[in-house]
Amino acid sequence: MEEVLLLGLKDREGYTSFWNDCISSGLRGCILTELGFRGRVELEKTGARRKAISNRKVMLLDDTATGDVLLDEALRHIKETQPQETVQSWIEYLSGECWNPLKLKYQLRNVRERLAKNLVDKGICSTEKQNFFLFDMTTHPLNDNVHKMKLIKRLQDSVLSRWPNDPRRMDRRILALIYLAHASDVLENAFTSLSDEDYEVAMKHVRELLDLDPDQESSKYDPKMETMWAVVSAFNK
């Protein structure tokens, strides 16, 4: 979640692009993926008749607190909800982008601001106030460039020098980061420093990942990654 936001934050200005309307739902996808990776939620089991991953409900596996306020808040909502909902529905509910007024209570508020505060606590960003004509806005300019450069280098290497040809050999977190950064419309920010040639190769490999079928891929990986593939499927629609 923090890495996706860090990719989206402008280094000097300390805020995400005003034109980016994807990062809100993208960050909710990150939350669900992280809960899956940590073994807190899973997708409902399928019987002999396989069910499309996008139609499988999110089931609570373990309600032990993670220690992360946003993750625990989402986990609490999932625990309290009957009947269970799909990943697509949860992305909408947690973003507050649903038409059902009864579901508005599930909206996670100030997600960007709370994640930015984590980055400030780690010394990666600072906090400033900026005046935008009609209103004041809290911004979080980059404090420690090293952390962001390492993140960008990791992403670039994963689709260039360390590209494995078989996505199953990729680290699950870097794979998730590529998908979720793309869904949040911030992946391009990691490739701006590349030469034209490297950029072309990097985007070719990213497109190969985006063209994979989440339904087919989910059965090839650790079950903890099923939630991630359901998130990918939701953003593919």
Side-chain angles (χ1 to χ4, degrees):
M1 303 175 294
E2 290 170 15
E3 288 176 333
V4 166
L5 181 66
L6 190 54
L7 287 171
L9 284 175
K10 296 170 185 281
D11 292 2
R12 276 198 294 263
E13 296 91 332
Y15 51 81
T16 55
S17 167
F18 289 125
W19 311 113
N20 187 338
D21 57 356
C22 303
I23 198 165
S24 173
S25 55
L27 289 170
R28 272 63 175 188
C30 292
I31 288 171
L32 293 167
T33 299
E34 189 66 51
L35 287 172
F37 280 177
R38 295 194 188 196
R40 296 303 195 277
V41 298
E42 64 175 358
L43 298 185
E44 65 178 326
K45 301 278 189 272
T46 56
R49 292 171 67 182
R50 282 189 66 76
K51 207 174 184 181
I53 200 163
S54 56
N55 295 332
R56 290 165 64 188
K57 305 284 197 283
V58 178
M59 315 292 286
L60 181 74
L61 198 59
D62 177 3
D63 63 357
T64 311
T66 63
D68 181 291
V69 182
L70 283 170
L71 292 180
D72 290 341
E73 202 174 315
L75 195 59
R76 198 160 56 247
H77 289 324
I78 292 168
K79 181 184 178 181
E80 290 167 359
T81 302
Q82 290 295 335
Q84 285 89 3
E85 300 280 2
T86 62
V87 161
Q88 172 91 52
S89 297
W90 274 117
I91 290 171
E92 290 168 7
Y93 297 162
L94 297 175
S95 307
E97 295 173 2
C98 66
W99 297 102
N100 186 341
L102 298 176
K103 304 293 184 185
L104 288 175
K105 61 182 179 180
Y106 295 135
Q107 184 182 358
L108 297 180
R109 299 185 185 280
N110 307 317
V111 168
R112 261 178 269 195
E113 190 52 45
R114 290 197 271 177
L115 289 172
K117 187 181 178 303
N118 291 352
L119 294 173
V120 171
D121 291 344
K122 291 176 180 177
I124 296 167
C125 293
S126 56
T127 301
E128 292 179 6
K129 276 267 192 290
Q130 276 196 35
N131 183 267
F132 288 91
F133 306 113
L134 300 173
F135 60 94
D136 284 337
M137 184 168 114
T138 304
T139 61
H140 300 282
L142 204 59
N143 216 5
D144 167 18
N145 200 32
V146 177
H147 198 90
K148 186 166 184 176
M149 291 314 295
K150 277 184 181 170
L151 173 62
I152 288 171
K153 180 87 168 66
R154 230 170 74 228
L155 269 172
Q156 291 178 355
D157 287 349
S158 70
V159 289
L160 290 168
S161 59
R162 292 176 174 271
W163 176 251
N165 286 324
D166 181 355
R168 282 175 294 184
R169 289 164 52 199
M170 289 180 87
D171 174 76
R172 68 177 184 177
R173 286 193 172 274
I174 202 77
L175 185 64
L177 183 57
I178 292 170
Y179 277 116
L180 291 161
H182 177 268
S184 305
D185 201 15
V186 298
L187 185 60
E188 287 268 342
N189 299 356
F191 298 152
T192 48
S193 62
L194 294 175
S195 66
D196 288 353
E197 199 177 317
D198 280 349
Y199 176 82
E200 215 167 288
V201 174
M203 288 312 292
K204 174 178 172 285
H205 290 152
V206 168
R207 276 192 296 273
E208 283 178 31
L209 291 177
L210 296 175
D211 288 343
L212 293 173
D213 180 349
D215 272 295
Q216 290 179 10
E217 295 305 309
S218 63
S219 60
K220 302 175 187 174
Y221 291 81
D222 171 1
K224 283 186 178 177
M225 290 181 70
E226 278 192 331
T227 310
M228 182 203 87
W229 286 113
V231 169
V232 172
S233 176
F235 286 125
N236 279 353
K237 290 190 173 177

